[in-house]
Amino acid sequence: MRILVLNCGSSSAKYQLFDYEEVAAKGSVERIGESVSLFTHYSETFQTKKSPIDAPDHTKAIDKILEALNAKEKKIDAVGHRVVHGGEKFSSSVLIDSEVMKRVQDCIPLAPLHNPSNIKGIEACSALLPGVPQVAVFDTAFHQTLPDYAYIYGIPYSYYKKYRVRRYGFHGTSHYYVSNRAARLLNRPIEELKIVTCHLGNGCSIAAVKYGKSVDTSMGFTPLEGLLMGTRSGDFDPAVVLFLMEKENLDTVGANSVFNKRSGLLGISQTANDMREILRESKEGNELATLAFEVFTYRLKKYIASYSGVMGGVDAVVFTGGIGENAKEVRESSLSELEFMGVELDRRKNDELSAGEHIISKEDSNVAVLVIPTNEELVIAKETERICIS
Ligand code: ADP
């Protein structure tokens, strides 16, 4: 089956074309809606870097992608879409029809920045590929197994009933993928394992995956809660929002910008949201960069330990995402002092890591530590195939 996987953001469309689980082509259109958009396309036979195109909307961008994929000659059998928020309505992937579209639209208030772009991608494909089945794979679905005591906030219950304010969790496709890969690498059934998965990219989240099911996760009602991130604050006292709104004369748009775009590594370091730069600055003696690094890894350590407690133990800790896969300093610092739980990192393996999947704990460590590059697109392709075949 030739399956197109699409991940549409507000001004971008990233794609991968799978031909029987092999990536046949991939790329992106960025700056959709601007005067000049940028198209990048890689395939075995063709490679271009950032060519300017005219893509005033997602339909034009996807049309360009289909053209590059030669979709007229070589038929695309199905499209899998990453959809960020499925609310409480979707606990697994679904074939898209008008009822599903309505429900995804109902979730817009829960993800106003993401779901509208995902919908645009689906609508564009309906117009450009009529009759081709489309599947929605939700970032929130894997976390729908959280027990109520893990997803209910300590605020009036009526707000949950009225507005569905609760923890949803995100990056579900990634947590699902790396926890299952970890079980494979450890050669044990996932139904026997307690795994903490750390997805550390520009957005960061951590999940407690017990016997294959997510039982807790750090992102909440929105992707703002939990770990420190590139520009997002993660956890802090919500009274600070009220205090700063008054002191700084902020409206909701201004407050949103402070906590989503000007906080996190960037907010503390005042220099960079990128972990590579934070590490470089810190080595050069920038104290605020060092502080940002320490806040990041300290909080990660707190979550790893608490999620181990939540599951009554832990068999494996998995790192993924740009930071999780590449920043040895983050892995070492966040696992230091967790020896009491049976975590024994092999420093040499951690330091000398090559690309790919690796176990980086000592042979006799009670808790395995793994680095596993995530592959959300592959999960989306497989889910799409599963649903279209069944
Ligand atoms: P996204 O969430 O946008 O998919 P990525 O998973 O690509 O992001 O992660 C981006 C983060 O990974 C950035 O903070 C970047 O600094 C970090 N990163 C990438 N490569 C390295 C590296 N070699 N060392 C440290 N951090 C890295």
Side-chain angles (χ1 to χ4, degrees):
M1 266 183 109
R2 274 164 60 87
I3 297 173
L4 175 63
V5 171
L6 268 180
N7 179 359
C8 290
S10 56
S11 64
S12 68
K14 295 185 193 142
Y15 63 95
Q16 288 195 12
L17 179 71
F18 285 83
D19 204 347
Y20 293 95
E21 292 191 19
E22 292 293 319
V23 179
K26 62 180 177 177
S28 65
V29 180
E30 290 164 274
R31 301 194 191 165
I32 296 173
E34 292 186 25
S35 53
V36 178
S37 307
L38 295 175
F39 184 43
T40 314
H41 178 75
Y42 298 96
S43 71
E44 274 170 19
T45 51
F46 184 76
Q47 202 178 96
T48 178
K49 280 233 154 94
K50 309 258 178 221
S51 57
I53 59 161
D54 183 29
D57 54 34
H58 283 74
T59 306
K60 269 277 154 53
I62 293 171
D63 196 24
K64 187 78 193 170
I65 292 169
L66 294 175
E67 194 185 304
L69 296 174
N70 196 14
K72 280 205 179 108
E73 308 260 302
K74 293 178 91 181
K75 195 171 153 296
I76 285 171
D77 298 300
V79 184
H81 293 268
R82 176 192 181 206
V83 179
V84 167
H85 219 307
E88 291 184 311
K89 290 164 183 142
F90 298 108
S91 54
S92 62
S93 314
V94 284
L95 188 68
I96 298 172
D97 59 15
S98 55
E99 181 59 28
V100 169
M101 281 300 271
K102 196 188 153 309
R103 288 173 164 219
V104 173
Q105 265 152 359
D106 289 346
C107 293
I108 289 177
L110 302 177
L113 298 180
H114 295 99
N115 273 30
S117 325
N118 304 149
I119 290 170
K120 279 184 195 160
I122 297 168
E123 287 174 344
C125 288
S126 304
L128 297 165
L129 296 169
V132 173
Q134 300 190 66
V135 169
V137 181
F138 300 95
D139 263 27
T140 46
F142 183 57
H143 301 303
Q144 278 298 300
T145 45
L146 259 62
D148 53 4
Y149 51 79
Y151 71 69
I152 288 294
Y153 287 129
I155 59 175
Y157 191 74
S158 54
Y159 294 136
Y160 168 59
K161 295 308 279 179
K162 209 166 158 187
Y163 305 116
R164 298 284 144 194
V165 174
R166 51 161 283 183
R167 174 183 312 287
Y168 289 98
F170 299 86
H171 292 144
T173 313
S174 177
H175 290 292
Y176 165 82
Y177 175 78
V178 298
S179 56
N180 279 277
R181 284 302 308 161
R184 273 285 187 87
L185 284 180
L186 297 172
N187 212 7
R188 289 181 61 189
I190 195 158
E191 294 77 14
E192 285 177 5
L193 292 171
K194 298 167 182 171
I195 306 175
V196 173
T197 47
C198 311
H199 179 108
L200 311 176
N202 282 312
C204 300
S205 70
I206 180 163
V209 183
K210 188 175 185 182
Y211 310 145
K213 292 195 163 42
S214 175
V215 293
D216 206 350
T217 190
S218 58
M219 283 180 169
F221 180 60
T222 74
L224 183 58
E225 194 182 348
L227 298 171
L228 196 79
M229 307 178 216
T231 61
R232 291 176 233 160
S233 63
D235 298 333
F236 67 100
D237 183 345
V240 172
V241 179
L242 307 177
F243 178 86
L244 288 181
M245 283 178 84
E246 196 179 321
K247 289 284 177 205
E248 297 276 310
N249 201 15
L250 295 168
D251 58 10
T252 51
V253 175
N256 184 50
S257 164
V258 170
F259 303 115
N260 268 302
K261 297 186 180 152
R262 290 165 46 204
S263 295
L265 293 173
L266 175 67
I268 297 173
S269 71
Q270 296 178 22
T271 344
N273 64 345
D274 187 302
M275 184 55 87
R276 281 166 292 204
E277 274 182 61
I278 294 288
L279 291 168
R280 196 169 50 241
E281 290 273 339
S282 172
K283 277 172 198 142
E284 285 170 6
N286 180 332
E287 288 179 8
L288 286 182
T290 302
L291 182 61
F293 172 82
E294 287 172 349
V295 173
F296 186 96
T297 56
Y298 174 76
R299 193 173 300 178
L300 184 53
K301 183 196 315 228
K302 272 210 300 197
Y303 267 103
I304 293 171
S306 70
Y307 281 180
S308 304
V310 156
M311 293 190 289
V314 59
D315 298 299
V317 179
V318 185
F319 289 90
T320 193
I323 297 174
E325 291 163 35
N326 297 299
K328 59 178 192 272
E329 299 87 345
V330 168
R331 295 190 298 261
E332 181 172 339
S333 174
S334 60
L335 295 177
S336 68
E337 291 162 321
L338 295 186
E339 290 84 3
F340 79 95
M341 286 173 16
V343 181
E344 297 278 350
L345 185 70
D346 185 319
R347 294 245 153 72
R348 193 184 53 78
K349 287 184 190 159
N350 184 48
D351 288 354
E352 295 168 8
L353 206 62
S354 54
E357 299 177 330
H358 297 280
I359 299 175
I360 57 167
S361 42
K362 289 184 183 161
E363 297 277 328
D364 57 353
S365 177
N366 282 332
V367 180
V369 181
L370 301 99
V371 175
I372 299 180
T374 195
N375 195 343
E376 290 151 293
E377 294 79 10
L378 178 63
V379 177
I380 296 173
K382 282 185 167 178
E383 282 289 276
T384 304
E385 183 175 10
R386 178 180 68 79
I387 285 176
C388 289
I389 284 174
S390 66

